[in-house]
Amino acid sequence: MSHETVKVHVVNYGRATLYMRYLDPTTGKHVARSTGTKKQAEAEKAAGKWEAELREGRFKPRSRITWAEFRRRYEDEALSALANGSAERYGTVLDDVESTISPARPADMTAEKISQWQQSLRARKLSENTIRSYSSTLRAALNWAHEVGMVHHPAKVRMPARATVGKVMKGRPITTEEFDRMLAKVSLVVTGKRPQGAAERVAGWEFTLRGLWWSGLRLGEALALTWDGRELSIDLAGKRPMLRISAGSEKGHKDRILPLAPEAAEFFLAVPEAHRTGFVFNPLSSRGTRLPAREAGRVISLIGEKAGVKVNEGTYKGRSHVKFASAHDLRRAFGLRWAGRVMPAVLQQLMRHENIETTLRYYVGSDADGMAEILYAAVPKAPLGNSSGNSAPQHEEAADQACDANHVSG
């Protein structure tokens, strides 16, 4: 449109307010909008302001792109390049936005509505860190819409302050005794009010929990794991069982073949060959359908709650809040067991962390009590005056035994 030729006129349509309109020289059609006033002088002033915006190119008409069209293009053009887990996270956030505030268009996402959505997350007792993560995801989606011209001025997404917590982890590694308590509650949680077919469901859930415990897999990875060479699979063709990972199936975004921990390899090899087909793990609902990762995670957390395995405690809005063991706490236990057995670089591969700083932050040096036991076991019980340390080497075997005992119990 040639902005220099635009002339805005005030017109009276016989409505509650006067209107202003101009002839678009490109389309040949009139474009009109309300001045918001009945007074001629004020209407003329509003028309002059709009005319100046048009001539200077500062006015942008409200986008008519629908939310459904935005979702379709965003998933096809942006999310398709991400790992499956990342794409699912974006989908989860946008689904939540739709169910909470039902935007008709991306342009409907005002700062006020975004704030209302964030408040609804708090009302559902999501943590501030989770709300911050969701908000960051929404901001990225709206910024993309702006970059491709779907919205002209995306609303500013206010990021909640990070919650101040005393622990590095949201949960913690659970102990062997706590894991056994969880296994003992599987039947109670899974059977529920549908005893028919309960034996099969209980066996499947126990197998899933043991697999998470020995392998250190993330829950989403475990439920995507197959026996027959898909995106994430167990490779039994070589000397040792391996984990074959495609770039699109996990956080590292790389095609990789990684060794399984010996206990995990033994666990998987114990499965009869006739059963090594399709998905490795099949946690079933009470109706006998295979559950997706989110629903399976809720069941595991309920098992943790019934077992009384608390992994974190704090307050939320003045009320005490308890976090019970989840699937990720089984992964944390795996990481801690191996942290003292292998070097950080090897642990990084076992945990499949993209960055070794993640490994160092969460697992290396995190078991202070266990390390203290190892240190004290390595020192002879001698008078304090004997500080030469000459007799320390004879206790190296005791230190090794203490280390082994510590990791077996963790």
Side-chain angles (χ1 to χ4, degrees):
M1 180 171 65
S2 177
H3 301 299
E4 293 77 6
T5 60
V6 171
K7 178 64 178 176
V8 178
H9 301 276
V10 174
V11 293
N12 188 345
Y13 289 133
R15 299 178 183 174
T17 63
L18 295 172
Y19 272 64
M20 49 188 173
R21 75 178 184 187
Y22 68 92
L23 182 67
D24 189 323
T26 301
T27 64
K29 296 180 179 180
H30 281 110
V31 179
R33 60 188 290 192
S34 171
T35 63
T37 181
K38 292 181 179 180
K39 298 180 179 180
Q40 184 70 27
E42 293 179 359
E44 293 287 354
K45 184 177 180 180
K49 181 180 178 181
W50 193 25
E51 181 178 297
E53 290 176 347
L54 289 167
R55 292 190 175 188
E56 295 171 12
R58 290 185 285 117
F59 172 74
K60 300 288 185 180
R62 188 171 182 266
S63 174
R64 295 187 177 181
I65 298 291
T66 66
W67 180 266
E69 184 177 356
F70 154 68
R71 282 286 308 260
R72 179 186 60 78
R73 284 191 56 188
Y74 188 52
E75 290 168 0
D76 291 345
E77 299 173 25
L79 300 187
S80 60
L82 301 179
N84 293 342
S86 298
E88 288 175 4
R89 183 178 72 251
Y90 276 86
T92 297
V93 171
L94 295 179
D95 286 345
D96 194 88
V97 168
E98 289 179 13
S99 64
T100 304
I101 56 180
S102 304
R105 299 178 176 84
D108 293 341
M109 294 300 295
T110 62
E112 180 182 5
K113 288 190 175 182
I114 293 172
S115 180
Q116 292 172 358
W117 169 67
Q118 291 172 329
Q119 188 56 37
S120 78
L121 297 176
R122 292 188 181 92
R124 284 176 270 160
K125 297 185 178 181
L126 273 68
S127 71
E128 288 301 308
N129 285 333
T130 299
I131 296 172
R132 183 180 180 87
S133 175
Y134 274 34
S135 299
S136 178
T137 300
L138 176 61
R139 180 172 63 181
L142 295 179
N143 284 343
W144 179 86
H146 171 63
E147 290 171 1
V148 299
M150 289 188 179
V151 292
H152 302 302
H153 301 289
K156 184 176 181 180
V157 180
R158 296 187 62 183
M159 302 300 292
R162 289 191 181 277
T164 302
V165 294
K167 297 182 179 179
V168 176
M169 297 184 184
K170 296 177 183 177
R172 63 167 175 81
I174 65 173
T175 66
T176 301
E177 185 271 337
E178 290 172 327
F179 178 62
D180 289 340
R181 279 160 48 194
M182 290 182 67
L183 286 175
K185 294 297 181 181
V186 170
S187 179
L188 173 66
V189 173
V190 174
T191 301
K193 298 180 180 179
R194 289 179 177 265
Q196 185 176 4
E200 179 186 0
R201 299 199 304 274
V202 169
W205 279 100
E206 289 178 345
F207 182 82
T208 299
L209 261 63
R210 287 192 173 97
L212 294 171
W213 174 261
W214 291 121
S215 70
L217 288 168
R218 301 175 180 92
L219 181 57
E221 295 170 341
L223 297 190
L225 189 66
T226 67
W227 293 105
D228 43 20
R230 300 183 207 176
E231 288 189 345
L232 187 63
S233 62
I234 297 174
D235 188 344
L236 301 176
K239 181 179 179 181
R240 308 285 190 192
M242 296 285 178
L243 187 65
R244 184 180 293 273
I245 307 173
S246 72
S249 62
E250 57 105 42
K251 287 185 175 181
H253 306 290
K254 298 176 183 177
D255 290 318
R256 296 192 283 178
I257 297 180
L258 299 173
L260 289 162
E263 300 98 332
E266 182 179 351
F267 174 80
F268 291 125
L269 287 172
V271 176
E273 289 190 26
H275 296 168
R276 296 176 192 170
T277 181
F279 289 109
V280 175
F281 299 102
N282 289 285
L284 302 178
S285 70
S286 60
R287 298 182 181 276
T289 57
R290 189 173 188 270
L291 289 179
R294 188 189 304 179
E295 297 299 323
R298 292 190 181 121
V299 173
I300 295 175
S301 294
L302 182 57
I303 292 171
E305 181 177 353
K306 294 299 182 184
V309 181
K310 301 177 182 180
V311 295
N312 208 341
E313 296 184 70
T315 58
Y316 180 80
K317 292 188 175 180
R319 297 182 180 180
S320 61
H321 177 70
V322 177
K323 184 181 186 299
F324 294 96
S326 66
H328 208 72
D329 295 312
L330 303 183
R331 173 174 163 82
R332 290 178 174 120
F334 171 86
L336 183 60
R337 287 199 304 273
W338 281 95
R341 297 178 179 179
V342 297
M343 297 296 290
V346 177
L347 183 61
Q348 178 192 2
Q349 296 300 309
L350 274 177
M351 300 300 292
R352 297 170 312 286
H353 289 149
E354 183 179 4
N355 196 313
I356 197 169
E357 277 76 16
T358 304
T359 310
L360 296 172
R361 180 185 179 193
Y362 287 109
Y363 296 101
V364 177
S366 61
D367 186 16
D369 290 337
M371 293 305 297
E373 292 299 321
I374 295 170
L375 293 173
Y376 276 84
V379 177
K381 293 182 179 180
L384 293 177
N386 181 10
S387 58
S388 66
N390 293 333
S391 59
Q394 63 182 318
H395 292 271
E396 288 179 356
E397 183 177 352
D400 291 338
Q401 292 173 353
C403 181
D404 291 339
N406 174 63
H407 290 291
V408 169
S409 64

